[in-house]
Amino acid sequence: MALAPILLVGGSGIVGRWAARLLHAAHPKVPLLLGGRDLARAREAAAENAGAEGVALNLDTADLGLGERPVSAVVVLFTDDKIAALRFAQARGVPYLSISPGIIEMGPEVAAYIHQPQAAPVVLGTEWLVGATTIPTLEFAKAFGRVHNITIGALLDEQDAAGPAANADLERQTKTMPAALTRQDGAFTWRVGDEARTSFRAVDGTDMEASTFSVYDVLGLATATGAPNVHFKLALGVSSSRRRGEPMSTEILIELAGEDHAGQPLRTRHAVVHPQGQMPLTGLGVAMLLERLLGLDGKPAVPAGLYFPYQLLEPAAYFARLQQIGGQVLTLDVL
């Protein structure tokens, strides 16, 4: 039996186009619906991929304007304040993934899941670049018997084009939301004002002014590792590659400190880098999660439940695909 189309709500944007491109490359027979309010723009995006179709959506209706048309999964690539797409997915009993709500906005999705926990798998996907931080960090953490500190530094080049929806999300999460979540000495705390100002070293060692930032990575990494100190820092500026006179890139700096399995002190510093910026990594996370949710990777489809991306994606498979699309994982220091 042929798989029903995967619905990408906001699929005509940059992330949607990347996700569609990667899904089509890996699974050319899987149909895609790229949905948005602007039908012409959706059709333009769909024309880039054989097997994709542009559709107009109406989030004010229970069927999103699709009528009885079947879908196999739903991914939302912008903030859906009405969680209309989640209710649609639950009503159809199909997997759901969102990548935009901020950490203080997760309540509506969690509440919707709690009321219908058996309806469908629900993935809270607002990790930094949809798994590009958590999956590598948890893999590096395997070298530790105990992790004391996790510090993530995300560097966005100011030339990195993100599209209007992604820019609106970043603007909302960095300027509208008044505080940023960290874990300090085992306690989850909120930093505001001057307390949220910080810095980190880029790949080339340059000190970058940054702000403490709230993404689901803080909750996930603290819970998965038990680390009492977890901090996520975001900087917008010039990436290391551009300082070398090359095109811009995106960087994720991952610093871990603790003890190895013999109880000896251990510190590591790694980086995840992509020469085309943030969007290929975001698109990869979306594509791989949809593959995993539906069992397109040859494993059983994911059962109903509430998940973070790193709980579903296997590190070896992720690293292989990351390399395939031009990403790199660098080891900077092991002390």
Side-chain angles (χ1 to χ4, degrees), residues 174 180 196-200 209-214 232-235:
T174 56
R197 295 177 183 172
T198 183
S199 65
F200 64 87
E209 292 186 1
S211 298
T212 305
F213 189 53
S214 287
F232 194 105
K233 306 174 181 182
L234 175 64

Side-chain angles (χ1 to χ4, degrees), residues 103-316:
I103 206 164
I104 64 171
E105 300 170 316
M106 68 194 305
E109 289 183 325
V110 172
Y113 168 77
I114 289 171
H115 277 269
Q116 297 188 68
Q118 301 304 320
V122 173
V123 184
L124 305 178
T126 316
E127 295 176 3
W128 186 250
L129 309 191
V130 195
T133 301
T134 50
I135 295 166
T137 300
L138 291 173
E139 186 66 12
F140 304 146
K142 292 178 181 178
F144 291 76
R146 185 177 180 187
V147 180
H148 298 302
N149 299 286
I150 300 175
T151 302
I152 307 298
L155 173 53
L156 284 182
D157 195 288
E158 57 200 8
Q159 293 184 354
D160 195 346
N167 283 332
D169 284 336
L170 187 62
E171 175 81 9
R172 189 183 74 259
Q173 293 188 39
T174 56
K175 296 184 178 179
T176 305
M177 297 180 187
L181 185 68
T182 65
R183 195 179 197 201
Q184 185 69 39
D185 298 327
F188 288 102
T189 61
W190 296 92
R191 296 182 180 270
V192 296
D194 289 342
E195 290 182 334
R197 295 177 183 172
T198 183
S199 65
F200 64 87
R201 287 183 298 142
V203 167
D204 64 359
T206 301
D207 284 328
M208 304 296 301
E209 292 186 1
S211 298
T212 305
F213 189 53
S214 287
V215 276
Y216 294 176
D217 306 67
V218 174
L219 290 174
L221 291 174
T223 304
T225 65
N229 301 288
V230 181
H231 302 271
F232 194 105
K233 306 174 181 182
L234 175 64
L236 178 64
V238 179
S239 55
S240 299
S241 60
R242 195 149 66 89
R243 273 191 291 271
R244 295 193 299 267
E246 301 170 6
M248 69 89 193
S249 59
T250 197
E251 304 176 19
I252 303 169
L253 286 301
I254 300 168
E255 299 183 15
L256 301 174
E259 302 167 3
D260 65 16
H261 292 282
Q264 298 301 307
L266 177 63
R267 299 180 66 91
T268 65
R269 188 167 181 262
H270 294 81
V272 178
V273 179
H274 198 286
Q276 291 176 273
Q278 60 179 311
M279 288 303 158
L281 296 180
T282 304
L284 176 65
V286 170
M288 290 191 71
L289 283 166
L290 289 168
E291 293 169 3
R292 178 76 291 281
L293 286 164
L294 294 169
L296 296 175
D297 56 1
K299 300 176 183 178
V302 174
L306 187 64
Y307 304 95
F308 287 132
Y310 68 83
Q311 295 177 290
L312 299 179
L313 298 183
E314 197 275 322

Side-chain angles (χ1 to χ4, degrees), residues 57-145:
L57 298 179
N58 181 359
L59 300 187
D60 290 325
T61 63
D63 64 4
L64 305 187
L66 294 174
E68 297 301 316
R69 185 165 188 173
V71 301
S72 61
V74 178
V75 57
V76 183
L77 304 174
F78 59 86
T79 299
D80 175 11
D81 294 327
K82 299 178 180 179
I83 61 166
L86 173 53
R87 296 188 184 281
F88 171 83
Q90 288 179 313
R92 299 290 183 96
V94 299
Y96 167 87
L97 162 67
S98 69
I99 68 167
S100 295
I103 206 164
I104 64 171
E105 300 170 316
M106 68 194 305
E109 289 183 325
V110 172
Y113 168 77
I114 289 171
H115 277 269
Q116 297 188 68
Q118 301 304 320
V122 173
V123 184
L124 305 178
T126 316
E127 295 176 3
W128 186 250
L129 309 191
V130 195
T133 301
T134 50
I135 295 166
T137 300
L138 291 173
E139 186 66 12
F140 304 146
K142 292 178 181 178
F144 291 76

